[in-house]
Amino acid sequence: MLTQLCTGPSEVTVFEPEVLGAVDGPGSHCTKAVWYDALQPESLVNTTRDNGIHTQRRRMWNNAFTPQASTASDEQKALSGYEDQIVFYARRFENEVARSIGSPVDASSLIYKFTFDLMGEIAFSRNAGQDRLRDQQWHAAMTALQKGMALLGPLSPVPWLLHIGLSLPFIPIVRDWNSMVAFCKSCIDDRIKVDNLSSGTICDPRMALEMTKCVPVDQLEETDHDISSWLIDSSQAKTLSEEERVKWLYGDAITMVIAGR
């Protein structure tokens, strides 16, 4: 019986279930494939090929997804803090479906808008001030994300070509991808400003090295704990330069938007 097959110059397909534990199990010494380098220079927790860095970043993420938050100064339970938002958007989704009784429903579009709004709320305490389910409007970032992600599928079997493709901004689909990435970065930029309300004025992280562009506190609003707040708090405790810290937070934002689409 055939158990493995060479399917490429540096690729082997294995037909045994035991391979899952050997490759992805706790004792595995395997690393991610070169495909995960395609999104560089962006740094994402789920695409880094360095096991040590992945472990460090994953622990930061754990703070936002555990029943009891590990931050000693805050007794709020991380997961329970999202329940109200989830219920709110779920009921809004239910109401929108109920309004369509007797008429065809574009379930794909409706679910996409629901998950996008819920992601914005839980990840960044942000929904752009619109009820996209009710207004039937698409946020520009939603369109860019949907179009930009279409690039990954066809080119995934050829990682080097994907990397080259993403470096050519004049290609329309690459412009969509870059637009989505810019939206993600703007979300974490705004969230960092809110998270630092107590300092009087907050320097825009996009200008972190020059420290010249600041935002008055009275233009910002406080917010409840969301996923970004845990990541921002955790990153401040690490010995990272400001440039590295913001770079990883940008990557976290991209991860949240893509995962929540």
Side-chain angles (χ1 to χ4, degrees), residues 36-50 53-54 57 61 177 181 184-185 188 231 240 243-256 258:
Y36 291 90
D37 286 337
L39 302 185
Q40 289 184 356
E42 312 303 340
S43 301
L44 283 65
V45 64
N46 56 310
T47 61
T48 178
R49 299 175 65 200
D50 187 308
I53 294 177
H54 177 266
R57 299 300 303 182
W61 277 75
W177 172 265
V181 170
C184 297
K185 292 180 178 181
I188 204 68
L231 296 174
L240 296 173
E243 185 177 15
E244 283 291 308
R245 173 175 170 267
V246 172
K247 182 184 78 169
W248 277 103
L249 288 173
Y250 282 159
D252 291 335
I254 295 171
T255 298
M256 288 186 281
I258 292 177

Side-chain angles (χ1 to χ4, degrees), residues 130-151:
Q130 291 187 359
D131 184 343
R132 272 171 285 278
L133 286 172
R134 179 66 57 84
D135 298 337
Q136 294 297 301
Q137 294 181 355
W138 282 72
H139 192 293
M142 296 169 64
T143 303
L145 173 60
Q146 195 172 48
K147 291 181 178 179
M149 290 295 291
L151 179 69

Side-chain angles (χ1 to χ4, degrees), residues 17-259:
E18 291 77 14
V19 73
L20 297 177
V23 172
D24 290 329
S28 173
H29 295 288
C30 295
T31 59
K32 288 185 173 72
V34 293
W35 181 91
Y36 291 90
D37 286 337
L39 302 185
Q40 289 184 356
E42 312 303 340
S43 301
L44 283 65
V45 64
N46 56 310
T47 61
T48 178
R49 299 175 65 200
D50 187 308
N51 289 336
I53 294 177
H54 177 266
T55 298
Q56 183 184 76
R57 299 300 303 182
R58 189 195 65 216
R59 287 172 180 164
M60 294 183 185
W61 277 75
N62 284 348
N63 291 336
F65 291 99
T66 52
Q68 177 63 50
S70 62
T71 305
S73 61
D74 196 333
E75 297 179 356
Q76 178 185 9
K77 294 182 178 180
L79 288 180
S80 63
Y82 313 139
E83 290 178 1
D84 290 343
Q85 294 100 314
I86 293 173
V87 170
F88 172 79
Y89 283 99
R91 286 177 176 167
R92 197 172 69 176
F93 176 80
E94 181 183 28
N95 292 338
E96 189 59 30
V97 172
R99 290 177 58 208
S100 304
I101 291 178
S103 304
V105 176
D106 185 347
S108 177
S109 175
L110 206 59
I111 292 172
Y112 206 104
K113 293 168 186 173
F114 163 69
T115 56
F116 189 87
D117 277 351
L118 182 58
M119 174 278 300
E121 189 71 42
I122 291 177
F124 308 107
S125 295
R126 168 179 179 165
N127 69 359
Q130 291 187 359
D131 184 343
R132 272 171 285 278
L133 286 172
R134 179 66 57 84
D135 298 337
Q136 294 297 301
Q137 294 181 355
W138 282 72
H139 192 293
M142 296 169 64
T143 303
L145 173 60
Q146 195 172 48
K147 291 181 178 179
M149 290 295 291
L151 179 69
L152 301 184
L155 296 184
S156 283
V158 194
W160 60 268
L161 185 58
L162 175 60
H163 203 135
I164 292 175
L166 289 174
S167 68
L168 303 175
F170 56 84
I171 300 176
I173 196 171
V174 177
R175 286 202 299 268
D176 290 323
W177 172 265
N178 291 337
S179 176
M180 184 276 296
V181 170
F183 168 77
C184 297
K185 292 180 178 181
S186 72
C187 287
I188 204 68
D189 283 344
D190 293 341
R191 191 60 190 81
I192 291 175
K193 295 172 189 176
V194 175
D195 200 67
N196 288 280
L197 275 170
S198 61
S199 65
T201 56
I202 293 82
C203 290
D204 187 328
R206 286 168 292 189
M207 305 290 289
L209 298 181
E210 293 84 355
M211 302 296 281
T212 59
K213 181 179 179 182
C214 293
V215 180
V217 171
D218 57 10
Q219 295 181 13
L220 306 174
E221 297 179 358
E222 292 193 39
T223 185
D224 295 328
H225 264 307
D226 49 29
I227 298 173
S228 293
S229 68
W230 296 110
L231 296 174
I232 293 169
D233 289 347
S234 298
S235 68
Q236 289 174 339
K238 302 298 179 182
T239 55
L240 296 173
S241 67
E242 183 66 16
E243 185 177 15
E244 283 291 308
R245 173 175 170 267
V246 172
K247 182 184 78 169
W248 277 103
L249 288 173
Y250 282 159
D252 291 335
I254 295 171
T255 298
M256 288 186 281
V257 170
I258 292 177

